[in-house]
Amino acid sequence: MSDPFQLDLTQRPRRLRRTASLRALVEETVLRPQNFIAPLFVVEGRGAPEAIASMPGVFRYNVADLVKECRALAKLGVPAVALFPKLESRLKNEEGTAALDEDSLILRTVRAVKKAVPEITVVADIALDPYTNHGHDGVLTPARDDVANDRTVGILVKMAVLHARAGVDLVAPSDMMDGRVGAIRRTLDSAGFTSTGIMAYSVKFASAYYGPFRDAVGSAKAAGTHLLGKQTYQLNPANRREAMIELALDDAEGADILMVKPAGPYLDIIREVRNATSKPVAAYQVSGEYAQLHAAAKLGWLDLARTRHESLLAIKRAGADMILTYFAKDMARILA
Ligand code: PBG
């Protein structure tokens, strides 16, 4: 006599979840240290690492300490770093002219990293926000009510050549100006940098999750008390079809790697991007995504290690080949 409660089921998906070894056998997505790109912040001088209040465990390093950090990351199997400078406010101005200084902090940092740790891939942002006193990614129109597209692109292409000359492997235009990927590709090629790649911030939303980053590079403070609105160039978080237009443009203009940013709140976009291109897809788990897990963990409301892992697994499962994340070093340590 069979159990009176036994259902007449052919399919019982729980069979494959019964033991740890069965679960391992059917696991579909695996995180590896080589999936991660570590964003790092650099400052001038020889001071101790500066803590960033809204990003626990993230520091602004001087050049020498940043090089050490790159060496440690390479040893842990993290293949790439994305470098961001924080400038002293006296170097910032309306036009962001320090971006074209041939001996700027970021260019000296790139050269130092490529010299000491040549095997690590160096990515650097191409945008003016660390350099402008208003915190925008480009220069303003005469009416000062918007960012001037074509004039900004004209500056960014020069910035890209300086970065290529300093030795970056990938320039990462993060500005969202129209036509910048194509213009950067053409300018790099005609300057002889045919091997310097472009990791394009193709699908970048006007997100509130960038708040802690803007503290880290000082672009929010540069903007004074005003909330820095970038809606005239970054995408409306409500728009999926428009995101796909941006993707198609950067793909056609010659981007080598296409990025979606932020990552966690935009998993549907990552999946759609994955299905629309055969090129590698990057996703940026941004500062606010990092900060919210830390904040909840500090209150004892979430388990940091487990939510960190799950958040990154979800981004990879959605279709990202590589993830920019402030958790890169922690994850590489754990996965080693
Ligand atoms: C700026 C830039 C931003 C980030 C990377 N590059 C912020 C912005 O657009 O204001 C955000 C990264 C993060 O929040 O972690 N071009």
Side-chain angles (χ1 to χ4, degrees), residues 42-48 50 60-66 86 88 105 108:
V42 63
V43 283
E44 204 64 78
R46 292 159 169 257
E50 300 173 11
R60 302 185 198 98
Y61 294 108
N62 66 40
V63 177
D65 286 341
L66 185 136
K86 177 174 190 279
E88 301 145 88
L105 172 62
R108 279 181 278 121

Side-chain angles (χ1 to χ4, degrees), residues 125 129 137 174 204 210 213-214 230 234 261 287 326:
D125 256 38
D129 53 303
D137 291 24
S174 62
K204 179 174 180 178
Y210 306 149
F213 175 97
R214 291 178 188 172
K230 299 193 175 182
Q234 299 177 350
K261 175 187 175 188
S287 55
Y326 302 97

Side-chain angles (χ1 to χ4, degrees), residues 181 200 202 246-256 258 276-279:
V181 169
S202 302
E246 286 287 358
L247 181 83
L249 286 169
D250 285 7
D251 198 342
E253 289 176 30
D256 299 283
L258 302 155
T277 179
S278 298
K279 286 181 180 172

